[in-house]
Amino acid sequence: MEAHFWNCYFILILFHSIILASSSRGVISNNNSNDAKALLSLKESIDPESSLEWQIGTDVCTWHGVKECLRGR
């Protein structure tokens, strides 16, 4: 009986961990999308020749010139 309790407890903890991880990823992804839009708007005014190869759909933390990406932002 005790083994059954620990198995259920483990499955419950695992389930909550997966839910937490997937919800956090969505928040970061949404924030990166908002950051990308803001950075692209700034880019229009400071890079009229489009020498920076920034594109929507890529991680803003990997864009040339973007620094200090903390916690995915």
Side-chain angles (χ1 to χ4, degrees):
M1 184 74 171
E2 187 174 320
H4 178 70
F5 168 77
W6 287 112
N7 285 340
C8 290
Y9 181 74
F10 175 76
I11 291 171
L12 183 64
I13 294 298
L14 182 63
F15 178 74
H16 282 287
S17 299
I18 291 169
I19 296 296
L20 212 93
S22 64
S23 67
S24 296
R25 188 180 319 156
V27 169
I28 291 171
S29 175
N30 190 29
N31 287 338
N32 277 348
S33 175
N34 291 336
D35 291 345
K37 289 175 186 175
L39 286 168
L40 287 172
S41 177
L42 173 66
K43 180 185 178 288
E44 287 179 15
S45 64
I46 64 171
D47 185 28
E49 296 177 11
S50 292
S51 61
L52 295 171
E53 297 179 5
W54 297 357
Q55 297 177 358
I56 285 277
T58 58
D59 184 5
V60 298
C61 294
T62 63
W63 291 0
H64 181 73
V66 176
K67 299 190 187 301
E68 301 296 327
C69 277
L70 304 173
R71 286 178 255 138
R73 293 198 76 196

Short mmCIF file of all heavy atoms in Angstrom, two decimals:
data_model
loop_
_atom_site.label_atom_id
_atom_site.label_comp_id
_atom_site.label_asym_id
_atom_site.label_seq_id
_atom_site.Cartn_x
_atom_site.Cartn_y
_atom_site.Cartn_z
N MET A 1 0.83 -1.19 0.00
CA MET A 1 0.00 0.00 0.00
C MET A 1 0.87 1.26 0.00
O MET A 1 0.58 2.21 -0.69
CB MET A 1 -0.93 -0.04 1.22
CG MET A 1 -1.89 1.09 1.28
SD MET A 1 -3.18 0.85 0.04
CE MET A 1 -4.27 2.11 0.48
N GLU A 2 1.95 1.24 0.79
CA GLU A 2 2.82 2.40 0.88
C GLU A 2 3.51 2.66 -0.47
O GLU A 2 3.68 3.82 -0.86
CB GLU A 2 3.86 2.21 1.97
CG GLU A 2 4.67 3.46 2.21
CD GLU A 2 5.59 3.32 3.40
OE1 GLU A 2 5.19 2.73 4.42
OE2 GLU A 2 6.72 3.82 3.27
N ALA A 3 3.88 1.60 -1.17
CA ALA A 3 4.52 1.76 -2.48
C ALA A 3 3.55 2.41 -3.47
O ALA A 3 3.95 3.25 -4.28
CB ALA A 3 4.99 0.42 -3.01
N HIS A 4 2.29 2.05 -3.38
CA HIS A 4 1.28 2.65 -4.26
C HIS A 4 1.15 4.15 -3.99
O HIS A 4 1.05 4.94 -4.93
CB HIS A 4 -0.07 1.95 -4.05
CG HIS A 4 -1.17 2.53 -4.88
ND1 HIS A 4 -1.22 2.38 -6.24
CD2 HIS A 4 -2.26 3.26 -4.53
CE1 HIS A 4 -2.28 3.01 -6.70
NE2 HIS A 4 -2.94 3.56 -5.68
N PHE A 5 1.20 4.54 -2.73
CA PHE A 5 1.15 5.96 -2.36
C PHE A 5 2.30 6.71 -2.99
O PHE A 5 2.13 7.78 -3.57
CB PHE A 5 1.17 6.11 -0.83
CG PHE A 5 1.40 7.53 -0.39
CD1 PHE A 5 0.36 8.45 -0.43
CD2 PHE A 5 2.65 7.95 0.04
CE1 PHE A 5 0.57 9.77 -0.03
CE2 PHE A 5 2.87 9.26 0.45
CZ PHE A 5 1.83 10.17 0.40
N TRP A 6 3.53 6.17 -2.87
CA TRP A 6 4.71 6.87 -3.40
C TRP A 6 4.68 6.92 -4.92
O TRP A 6 5.11 7.90 -5.53
CB TRP A 6 6.00 6.22 -2.90
CG TRP A 6 6.23 6.54 -1.45
CD1 TRP A 6 6.18 5.67 -0.41
CD2 TRP A 6 6.49 7.83 -0.89
NE1 TRP A 6 6.40 6.33 0.78
CE2 TRP A 6 6.60 7.67 0.51
CE3 TRP A 6 6.65 9.10 -1.42
CZ2 TRP A 6 6.87 8.73 1.37
CZ3 TRP A 6 6.92 10.16 -0.56
CH2 TRP A 6 7.02 9.97 0.81
N ASN A 7 4.16 5.89 -5.57
CA ASN A 7 4.02 5.91 -7.03
C ASN A 7 3.05 7.02 -7.46
O ASN A 7 3.33 7.76 -8.39
CB ASN A 7 3.53 4.56 -7.56
CG ASN A 7 4.61 3.51 -7.55
OD1 ASN A 7 5.80 3.82 -7.49
ND2 ASN A 7 4.20 2.25 -7.58
N CYS A 8 1.93 7.11 -6.77
CA CYS A 8 0.96 8.17 -7.08
C CYS A 8 1.54 9.55 -6.81
O CYS A 8 1.35 10.48 -7.59
CB CYS A 8 -0.32 7.97 -6.27
SG CYS A 8 -1.28 6.54 -6.78
N TYR A 9 2.27 9.66 -5.71
CA TYR A 9 2.89 10.93 -5.34
C TYR A 9 3.90 11.35 -6.42
O TYR A 9 3.93 12.50 -6.85
CB TYR A 9 3.57 10.79 -3.98
CG TYR A 9 4.24 12.04 -3.48
CD1 TYR A 9 3.48 13.10 -2.99
CD2 TYR A 9 5.63 12.17 -3.51
CE1 TYR A 9 4.09 14.27 -2.53
CE2 TYR A 9 6.24 13.33 -3.05
CZ TYR A 9 5.47 14.37 -2.57
OH TYR A 9 6.07 15.51 -2.13
N PHE A 10 4.72 10.40 -6.87
CA PHE A 10 5.71 10.68 -7.91
C PHE A 10 5.04 11.12 -9.21
O PHE A 10 5.46 12.09 -9.85
CB PHE A 10 6.58 9.44 -8.15
CG PHE A 10 7.54 9.61 -9.29
CD1 PHE A 10 8.69 10.39 -9.13
CD2 PHE A 10 7.30 9.01 -10.51
CE1 PHE A 10 9.57 10.57 -10.18
CE2 PHE A 10 8.17 9.18 -11.56
CZ PHE A 10 9.32 9.96 -11.40
N ILE A 11 3.99 10.44 -9.61
CA ILE A 11 3.27 10.79 -10.85
C ILE A 11 2.65 12.18 -10.73
O ILE A 11 2.70 12.97 -11.66
CB ILE A 11 2.20 9.72 -11.18
CG1 ILE A 11 2.91 8.42 -11.59
CG2 ILE A 11 1.25 10.20 -12.26
CD1 ILE A 11 1.99 7.23 -11.72
N LEU A 12 2.11 12.49 -9.58
CA LEU A 12 1.51 13.81 -9.35
C LEU A 12 2.57 14.92 -9.45
O LEU A 12 2.36 15.94 -10.11
CB LEU A 12 0.83 13.84 -7.98
CG LEU A 12 0.09 15.12 -7.62
CD1 LEU A 12 -1.08 15.33 -8.58
CD2 LEU A 12 -0.40 15.06 -6.19
N ILE A 13 3.72 14.71 -8.82
CA ILE A 13 4.81 15.69 -8.88
C ILE A 13 5.30 15.84 -10.31
O ILE A 13 5.53 16.95 -10.79
CB ILE A 13 5.97 15.28 -7.93
CG1 ILE A 13 5.52 15.32 -6.48
CG2 ILE A 13 7.19 16.15 -8.16
CD1 ILE A 13 5.10 16.69 -5.99
N LEU A 14 5.47 14.74 -11.01
CA LEU A 14 5.91 14.77 -12.41
C LEU A 14 4.91 15.54 -13.27
O LEU A 14 5.30 16.39 -14.08
CB LEU A 14 6.09 13.35 -12.93
CG LEU A 14 6.61 13.20 -14.34
CD1 LEU A 14 8.01 13.78 -14.47
CD2 LEU A 14 6.60 11.74 -14.76
N PHE A 15 3.64 15.28 -13.09
CA PHE A 15 2.60 15.97 -13.84
C PHE A 15 2.65 17.48 -13.60
O PHE A 15 2.61 18.27 -14.54
CB PHE A 15 1.23 15.40 -13.46
CG PHE A 15 0.08 16.07 -14.14
CD1 PHE A 15 -0.18 15.84 -15.48
CD2 PHE A 15 -0.74 16.94 -13.44
CE1 PHE A 15 -1.24 16.47 -16.12
CE2 PHE A 15 -1.80 17.57 -14.06
CZ PHE A 15 -2.05 17.32 -15.41
N HIS A 16 2.76 17.88 -12.35
CA HIS A 16 2.83 19.31 -12.02
C HIS A 16 4.08 19.95 -12.60
O HIS A 16 4.04 21.09 -13.06
CB HIS A 16 2.77 19.52 -10.51
CG HIS A 16 1.40 19.39 -9.94
ND1 HIS A 16 0.44 20.34 -10.11
CD2 HIS A 16 0.84 18.40 -9.21
CE1 HIS A 16 -0.66 19.96 -9.52
NE2 HIS A 16 -0.46 18.78 -8.97
N SER A 17 5.19 19.24 -12.59
CA SER A 17 6.43 19.77 -13.16
C SER A 17 6.29 20.01 -14.66
O SER A 17 6.74 21.02 -15.19
CB SER A 17 7.60 18.81 -12.90
OG SER A 17 7.80 18.65 -11.53
N ILE A 18 5.66 19.08 -15.34
CA ILE A 18 5.46 19.22 -16.78
C ILE A 18 4.55 20.40 -17.07
O ILE A 18 4.82 21.21 -17.97
CB ILE A 18 4.89 17.92 -17.38
CG1 ILE A 18 5.97 16.83 -17.33
CG2 ILE A 18 4.41 18.13 -18.81
CD1 ILE A 18 5.45 15.43 -17.66
N ILE A 19 3.48 20.54 -16.33
CA ILE A 19 2.55 21.65 -16.52
C ILE A 19 3.26 22.98 -16.26
O ILE A 19 3.13 23.93 -17.03
CB ILE A 19 1.32 21.52 -15.58
CG1 ILE A 19 0.51 20.28 -15.94
CG2 ILE A 19 0.46 22.76 -15.61
CD1 ILE A 19 -0.10 20.30 -17.32
N LEU A 20 4.03 23.05 -15.20
CA LEU A 20 4.74 24.28 -14.87
C LEU A 20 5.76 24.63 -15.95
O LEU A 20 5.85 25.79 -16.36
CB LEU A 20 5.45 24.11 -13.52
CG LEU A 20 5.56 25.37 -12.72
CD1 LEU A 20 4.37 25.42 -11.78
CD2 LEU A 20 6.83 25.38 -11.94
N ALA A 21 6.50 23.66 -16.42
CA ALA A 21 7.52 23.90 -17.45
C ALA A 21 6.88 24.36 -18.76
O ALA A 21 7.37 25.29 -19.41
CB ALA A 21 8.34 22.65 -17.68
N SER A 22 5.78 23.76 -19.14
CA SER A 22 5.14 24.14 -20.41
C SER A 22 4.50 25.52 -20.32
O SER A 22 4.53 26.28 -21.27
CB SER A 22 4.13 23.09 -20.85
OG SER A 22 3.07 23.01 -19.92
N SER A 23 3.95 25.87 -19.16
CA SER A 23 3.34 27.20 -19.04
C SER A 23 4.40 28.28 -18.98
O SER A 23 4.23 29.36 -19.52
CB SER A 23 2.43 27.27 -17.81
OG SER A 23 3.18 27.16 -16.63
N SER A 24 5.54 28.00 -18.37
CA SER A 24 6.63 28.98 -18.33
C SER A 24 7.18 29.23 -19.72
O SER A 24 7.50 30.35 -20.08
CB SER A 24 7.76 28.47 -17.42
OG SER A 24 7.31 28.36 -16.11
N ARG A 25 7.30 28.18 -20.51
CA ARG A 25 7.83 28.33 -21.86
C ARG A 25 6.92 29.22 -22.70
O ARG A 25 7.38 30.03 -23.48
CB ARG A 25 7.97 26.97 -22.54
CG ARG A 25 8.69 27.05 -23.85
CD ARG A 25 8.83 25.72 -24.52
NE ARG A 25 9.15 24.66 -23.61
CZ ARG A 25 8.89 23.40 -23.84
NH1 ARG A 25 8.29 23.04 -24.96
NH2 ARG A 25 9.20 22.47 -22.97
N GLY A 26 5.62 29.11 -22.52
CA GLY A 26 4.69 29.95 -23.26
C GLY A 26 4.84 31.42 -22.91
O GLY A 26 4.76 32.28 -23.76
N VAL A 27 5.07 31.71 -21.65
CA VAL A 27 5.26 33.09 -21.22
C VAL A 27 6.53 33.66 -21.82
O VAL A 27 6.55 34.76 -22.35
CB VAL A 27 5.29 33.18 -19.67
CG1 VAL A 27 5.75 34.54 -19.22
CG2 VAL A 27 3.93 32.86 -19.11
N ILE A 28 7.59 32.88 -21.79
CA ILE A 28 8.86 33.36 -22.35
C ILE A 28 8.72 33.56 -23.85
O ILE A 28 9.17 34.55 -24.40
CB ILE A 28 10.00 32.37 -22.02
CG1 ILE A 28 10.29 32.43 -20.53
CG2 ILE A 28 11.25 32.68 -22.82
CD1 ILE A 28 11.25 31.37 -20.04
N SER A 29 8.07 32.62 -24.52
CA SER A 29 7.90 32.75 -25.96
C SER A 29 7.10 34.00 -26.30
O SER A 29 7.43 34.72 -27.23
CB SER A 29 7.19 31.50 -26.48
OG SER A 29 6.92 31.64 -27.84
N ASN A 30 6.03 34.26 -25.56
CA ASN A 30 5.22 35.44 -25.81
C ASN A 30 6.02 36.71 -25.55
O ASN A 30 5.94 37.66 -26.31
CB ASN A 30 3.97 35.40 -24.93
CG ASN A 30 2.98 36.48 -25.31
OD1 ASN A 30 2.92 36.90 -26.46
ND2 ASN A 30 2.21 36.92 -24.35
N ASN A 31 6.81 36.73 -24.48
CA ASN A 31 7.65 37.88 -24.18
C ASN A 31 8.67 38.10 -25.27
O ASN A 31 8.94 39.24 -25.66
CB ASN A 31 8.34 37.73 -22.82
CG ASN A 31 7.39 37.91 -21.66
OD1 ASN A 31 6.34 38.53 -21.80
ND2 ASN A 31 7.75 37.37 -20.53
N ASN A 32 9.29 37.02 -25.78
CA ASN A 32 10.25 37.16 -26.86
C ASN A 32 9.59 37.70 -28.11
O ASN A 32 10.19 38.48 -28.84
CB ASN A 32 10.94 35.83 -27.16
CG ASN A 32 12.09 35.54 -26.23
OD1 ASN A 32 12.54 36.42 -25.50
ND2 ASN A 32 12.57 34.33 -26.25
N SER A 33 8.35 37.32 -28.36
CA SER A 33 7.63 37.83 -29.51
C SER A 33 7.40 39.34 -29.37
O SER A 33 7.60 40.09 -30.33
CB SER A 33 6.29 37.10 -29.64
OG SER A 33 5.53 37.65 -30.69
N ASN A 34 7.01 39.76 -28.19
CA ASN A 34 6.82 41.19 -27.94
C ASN A 34 8.14 41.94 -28.03
O ASN A 34 8.21 43.04 -28.57
CB ASN A 34 6.18 41.42 -26.57
CG ASN A 34 4.75 40.94 -26.51
OD1 ASN A 34 4.08 40.84 -27.52
ND2 ASN A 34 4.29 40.64 -25.33
N ASP A 35 9.20 41.33 -27.49
CA ASP A 35 10.53 41.94 -27.56
C ASP A 35 10.98 42.06 -29.02
O ASP A 35 11.54 43.07 -29.42
CB ASP A 35 11.56 41.12 -26.78
CG ASP A 35 11.34 41.17 -25.27
OD1 ASP A 35 10.58 42.07 -24.82
OD2 ASP A 35 11.91 40.34 -24.57
N ALA A 36 10.74 41.02 -29.80
CA ALA A 36 11.13 41.04 -31.21
C ALA A 36 10.42 42.17 -31.96
O ALA A 36 11.05 42.89 -32.74
CB ALA A 36 10.82 39.69 -31.86
N LYS A 37 9.15 42.33 -31.72
CA LYS A 37 8.40 43.40 -32.38
C LYS A 37 8.95 44.77 -32.00
O LYS A 37 9.12 45.65 -32.85
CB LYS A 37 6.91 43.31 -32.03
CG LYS A 37 6.23 42.13 -32.67
CD LYS A 37 4.79 42.01 -32.19
CE LYS A 37 4.15 40.73 -32.72
NZ LYS A 37 2.82 40.53 -32.19
N ALA A 38 9.26 44.96 -30.71
CA ALA A 38 9.81 46.24 -30.26
C ALA A 38 11.19 46.48 -30.85
O ALA A 38 11.50 47.59 -31.31
CB ALA A 38 9.87 46.26 -28.73
N LEU A 39 12.03 45.45 -30.86
CA LEU A 39 13.37 45.60 -31.42
C LEU A 39 13.33 45.85 -32.93
O LEU A 39 14.11 46.65 -33.45
CB LEU A 39 14.22 44.36 -31.11
CG LEU A 39 14.69 44.25 -29.66
CD1 LEU A 39 15.25 42.85 -29.40
CD2 LEU A 39 15.71 45.32 -29.33
N LEU A 40 12.43 45.19 -33.63
CA LEU A 40 12.31 45.42 -35.08
C LEU A 40 11.82 46.83 -35.37
O LEU A 40 12.23 47.46 -36.35
CB LEU A 40 11.39 44.37 -35.72
CG LEU A 40 12.00 42.97 -35.82
CD1 LEU A 40 10.95 41.96 -36.28
CD2 LEU A 40 13.20 42.96 -36.75
N SER A 41 10.96 47.34 -34.52
CA SER A 41 10.50 48.72 -34.67
C SER A 41 11.66 49.70 -34.48
O SER A 41 11.83 50.65 -35.24
CB SER A 41 9.38 49.01 -33.66
OG SER A 41 8.97 50.34 -33.74
N LEU A 42 12.49 49.44 -33.46
CA LEU A 42 13.67 50.26 -33.24
C LEU A 42 14.65 50.14 -34.41
O LEU A 42 15.21 51.13 -34.87
CB LEU A 42 14.36 49.82 -31.94
CG LEU A 42 15.71 50.46 -31.63
CD1 LEU A 42 15.53 51.96 -31.36
CD2 LEU A 42 16.37 49.77 -30.46
N LYS A 43 14.81 48.93 -34.92
CA LYS A 43 15.72 48.67 -36.04
C LYS A 43 15.36 49.51 -37.26
O LYS A 43 16.24 49.99 -37.98
CB LYS A 43 15.71 47.19 -36.39
CG LYS A 43 16.64 46.81 -37.54
CD LYS A 43 16.45 45.34 -37.88
CE LYS A 43 17.28 44.91 -39.03
NZ LYS A 43 16.83 45.40 -40.31
N GLU A 44 14.09 49.68 -37.52
CA GLU A 44 13.65 50.47 -38.68
C GLU A 44 14.23 51.88 -38.64
O GLU A 44 14.57 52.45 -39.68
CB GLU A 44 12.12 50.56 -38.73
CG GLU A 44 11.45 49.28 -39.17
CD GLU A 44 9.94 49.41 -39.19
OE1 GLU A 44 9.41 50.54 -39.15
OE2 GLU A 44 9.28 48.37 -39.24
N SER A 45 14.35 52.44 -37.43
CA SER A 45 14.84 53.82 -37.34
C SER A 45 16.36 53.92 -37.25
O SER A 45 16.93 54.94 -37.63
CB SER A 45 14.20 54.53 -36.14
OG SER A 45 14.59 53.90 -34.94
N ILE A 46 17.03 52.88 -36.78
CA ILE A 46 18.48 52.97 -36.62
C ILE A 46 19.26 52.20 -37.69
O ILE A 46 20.47 52.33 -37.77
CB ILE A 46 18.94 52.50 -35.22
CG1 ILE A 46 18.63 51.02 -35.01
CG2 ILE A 46 18.33 53.36 -34.13
CD1 ILE A 46 19.24 50.43 -33.75
N ASP A 47 18.58 51.40 -38.48
CA ASP A 47 19.25 50.59 -39.49
C ASP A 47 18.49 50.65 -40.82
O ASP A 47 17.93 49.66 -41.28
CB ASP A 47 19.35 49.14 -38.99
CG ASP A 47 20.15 48.24 -39.92
OD1 ASP A 47 21.04 48.75 -40.63
OD2 ASP A 47 19.88 47.03 -39.93
N PRO A 48 18.49 51.83 -41.46
CA PRO A 48 17.70 51.98 -42.69
C PRO A 48 18.21 51.11 -43.84
O PRO A 48 17.46 50.80 -44.76
CB PRO A 48 17.82 53.47 -43.02
CG PRO A 48 19.04 53.93 -42.30
CD PRO A 48 19.17 53.05 -41.10
N GLU A 49 19.48 50.70 -43.80
CA GLU A 49 20.03 49.87 -44.87
C GLU A 49 19.86 48.38 -44.61
O GLU A 49 20.34 47.55 -45.39
CB GLU A 49 21.51 50.21 -45.07
CG GLU A 49 21.73 51.64 -45.52
CD GLU A 49 23.19 51.99 -45.64
OE1 GLU A 49 24.04 51.08 -45.57
OE2 GLU A 49 23.49 53.18 -45.78
N SER A 50 19.21 48.03 -43.53
CA SER A 50 18.95 46.64 -43.14
C SER A 50 20.22 45.79 -43.09
O SER A 50 20.25 44.67 -43.61
CB SER A 50 17.92 46.00 -44.07
OG SER A 50 16.68 46.60 -43.89
N SER A 51 21.25 46.34 -42.46
CA SER A 51 22.49 45.56 -42.32
C SER A 51 22.39 44.52 -41.21
O SER A 51 23.13 43.55 -41.20
CB SER A 51 23.68 46.49 -42.09
OG SER A 51 23.50 47.24 -40.91
N LEU A 52 21.48 44.74 -40.26
CA LEU A 52 21.24 43.76 -39.20
C LEU A 52 20.24 42.73 -39.69
O LEU A 52 19.19 43.08 -40.20
CB LEU A 52 20.71 44.44 -37.93
CG LEU A 52 21.65 45.41 -37.25
CD1 LEU A 52 20.91 46.17 -36.15
CD2 LEU A 52 22.86 44.69 -36.68
N GLU A 53 20.59 41.47 -39.55
CA GLU A 53 19.73 40.39 -40.05
C GLU A 53 18.82 39.86 -38.96
O GLU A 53 18.89 38.69 -38.59
CB GLU A 53 20.59 39.29 -40.64
CG GLU A 53 21.41 39.74 -41.83
CD GLU A 53 22.29 38.65 -42.39
OE1 GLU A 53 22.20 37.50 -41.92
OE2 GLU A 53 23.07 38.95 -43.29
N TRP A 54 17.98 40.71 -38.43
CA TRP A 54 17.04 40.31 -37.39
C TRP A 54 15.76 39.87 -38.07
O TRP A 54 15.25 40.53 -38.97
CB TRP A 54 16.74 41.47 -36.47
CG TRP A 54 17.89 41.99 -35.68
CD1 TRP A 54 19.17 41.51 -35.65
CD2 TRP A 54 17.88 43.11 -34.79
NE1 TRP A 54 19.93 42.25 -34.80
CE2 TRP A 54 19.17 43.24 -34.26
CE3 TRP A 54 16.90 44.01 -34.40
CZ2 TRP A 54 19.50 44.23 -33.36
CZ3 TRP A 54 17.23 44.99 -33.50
CH2 TRP A 54 18.52 45.10 -32.98
N GLN A 55 15.20 38.76 -37.61
CA GLN A 55 13.96 38.24 -38.20
C GLN A 55 13.03 37.73 -37.12
O GLN A 55 13.46 37.11 -36.15
CB GLN A 55 14.27 37.10 -39.16
CG GLN A 55 15.10 37.49 -40.35
CD GLN A 55 15.42 36.30 -41.22
OE1 GLN A 55 15.05 35.17 -40.92
NE2 GLN A 55 16.11 36.55 -42.32
N ILE A 56 11.75 37.96 -37.33
CA ILE A 56 10.72 37.39 -36.46
C ILE A 56 10.82 35.86 -36.57
O ILE A 56 11.09 35.34 -37.63
CB ILE A 56 9.31 37.86 -36.89
CG1 ILE A 56 9.07 39.29 -36.48
CG2 ILE A 56 8.21 36.97 -36.35
CD1 ILE A 56 8.62 39.47 -35.05
N GLY A 57 10.62 35.20 -35.46
CA GLY A 57 10.66 33.74 -35.46
C GLY A 57 12.00 33.18 -35.00
O GLY A 57 12.14 31.99 -34.82
N THR A 58 12.98 34.06 -34.82
CA THR A 58 14.26 33.63 -34.27
C THR A 58 14.40 34.21 -32.87
O THR A 58 13.75 35.19 -32.53
CB THR A 58 15.44 34.09 -35.15
OG1 THR A 58 15.41 35.51 -35.28
CG2 THR A 58 15.36 33.48 -36.54
N ASP A 59 15.24 33.61 -32.07
CA ASP A 59 15.42 34.04 -30.69
C ASP A 59 16.15 35.37 -30.65
O ASP A 59 17.26 35.50 -31.16
CB ASP A 59 16.23 32.98 -29.93
CG ASP A 59 16.39 33.28 -28.45
OD1 ASP A 59 15.80 34.27 -27.97
OD2 ASP A 59 17.10 32.53 -27.78
N VAL A 60 15.53 36.39 -30.05
CA VAL A 60 16.12 37.73 -30.00
C VAL A 60 17.45 37.74 -29.27
O VAL A 60 18.30 38.60 -29.53
CB VAL A 60 15.16 38.78 -29.37
CG1 VAL A 60 13.90 38.91 -30.18
CG2 VAL A 60 14.84 38.44 -27.93
N CYS A 61 17.66 36.78 -28.39
CA CYS A 61 18.92 36.72 -27.64
C CYS A 61 20.10 36.33 -28.54
O CYS A 61 21.25 36.49 -28.16
CB CYS A 61 18.82 35.75 -26.48
SG CYS A 61 17.64 36.29 -25.22
N THR A 62 19.81 35.83 -29.73
CA THR A 62 20.87 35.45 -30.66
C THR A 62 21.11 36.52 -31.72
O THR A 62 22.01 36.38 -32.54
CB THR A 62 20.55 34.12 -31.37
OG1 THR A 62 19.37 34.28 -32.17
CG2 THR A 62 20.34 33.00 -30.36
N TRP A 63 20.32 37.58 -31.71
CA TRP A 63 20.48 38.64 -32.70
C TRP A 63 21.77 39.41 -32.45
O TRP A 63 22.07 39.76 -31.30
CB TRP A 63 19.30 39.59 -32.68
CG TRP A 63 18.02 39.01 -33.18
CD1 TRP A 63 17.80 37.75 -33.64
CD2 TRP A 63 16.76 39.67 -33.25
NE1 TRP A 63 16.49 37.59 -33.99
CE2 TRP A 63 15.83 38.75 -33.76
CE3 TRP A 63 16.33 40.94 -32.92
CZ2 TRP A 63 14.50 39.08 -33.96
CZ3 TRP A 63 15.01 41.26 -33.12
CH2 TRP A 63 14.10 40.34 -33.64
N HIS A 64 22.50 39.70 -33.51
CA HIS A 64 23.74 40.47 -33.40
C HIS A 64 23.42 41.86 -32.83
O HIS A 64 22.55 42.55 -33.33
CB HIS A 64 24.40 40.60 -34.78
CG HIS A 64 25.68 41.36 -34.75
ND1 HIS A 64 26.83 40.82 -34.22
CD2 HIS A 64 25.99 42.61 -35.13
CE1 HIS A 64 27.80 41.71 -34.31
NE2 HIS A 64 27.32 42.80 -34.85
N GLY A 65 24.13 42.22 -31.78
CA GLY A 65 23.92 43.53 -31.15
C GLY A 65 23.00 43.51 -29.95
O GLY A 65 22.96 44.48 -29.20
N VAL A 66 22.24 42.45 -29.76
CA VAL A 66 21.34 42.35 -28.60
C VAL A 66 22.14 41.75 -27.46
O VAL A 66 22.76 40.71 -27.59
CB VAL A 66 20.11 41.48 -28.91
CG1 VAL A 66 19.25 41.30 -27.67
CG2 VAL A 66 19.29 42.10 -30.03
N LYS A 67 22.15 42.46 -26.34
CA LYS A 67 22.95 42.02 -25.19
C LYS A 67 22.06 41.91 -23.94
O LYS A 67 20.96 42.42 -23.91
CB LYS A 67 24.08 42.99 -24.92
CG LYS A 67 25.04 43.10 -26.10
CD LYS A 67 26.27 43.87 -25.70
CE LYS A 67 27.19 44.16 -26.83
NZ LYS A 67 27.73 43.10 -27.57
N GLU A 68 22.59 41.25 -22.95
CA GLU A 68 21.94 41.15 -21.64
C GLU A 68 20.60 40.43 -21.69
O GLU A 68 19.61 40.94 -21.18
CB GLU A 68 21.78 42.52 -20.99
CG GLU A 68 23.05 43.28 -20.78
CD GLU A 68 24.00 42.59 -19.80
OE1 GLU A 68 23.53 41.95 -18.86
OE2 GLU A 68 25.21 42.72 -20.01
N CYS A 69 20.53 39.31 -22.36
CA CYS A 69 19.30 38.51 -22.34
C CYS A 69 19.26 37.72 -21.04
O CYS A 69 20.02 36.79 -20.84
CB CYS A 69 19.25 37.55 -23.53
SG CYS A 69 18.64 38.32 -25.02
N LEU A 70 18.39 38.13 -20.14
CA LEU A 70 18.24 37.47 -18.87
C LEU A 70 16.95 36.69 -18.85
O LEU A 70 15.89 37.20 -19.22
CB LEU A 70 18.24 38.49 -17.72
CG LEU A 70 19.47 39.39 -17.64
CD1 LEU A 70 19.26 40.45 -16.58
CD2 LEU A 70 20.70 38.57 -17.34
N ARG A 71 17.04 35.43 -18.43
CA ARG A 71 15.86 34.56 -18.36
C ARG A 71 15.08 34.56 -19.66
O ARG A 71 13.86 34.64 -19.68
CB ARG A 71 14.96 34.98 -17.20
CG ARG A 71 15.53 34.58 -15.86
CD ARG A 71 14.65 35.03 -14.73
NE ARG A 71 15.33 36.16 -14.14
CZ ARG A 71 14.77 37.28 -13.73
NH1 ARG A 71 13.47 37.43 -13.80
NH2 ARG A 71 15.46 38.26 -13.22
N GLY A 72 15.81 34.50 -20.78
CA GLY A 72 15.15 34.44 -22.08
C GLY A 72 14.68 35.78 -22.59
O GLY A 72 14.07 35.88 -23.62
N ARG A 73 14.99 36.86 -21.88
CA ARG A 73 14.59 38.20 -22.30
C ARG A 73 15.79 39.06 -22.39
O ARG A 73 16.72 38.97 -21.72
CB ARG A 73 13.64 38.82 -21.29
CG ARG A 73 12.32 38.10 -21.25
CD ARG A 73 11.28 38.90 -20.62
NE ARG A 73 10.89 39.90 -21.60
CZ ARG A 73 10.21 40.98 -21.29
NH1 ARG A 73 9.87 41.20 -20.08
NH2 ARG A 73 9.88 41.84 -22.21
#
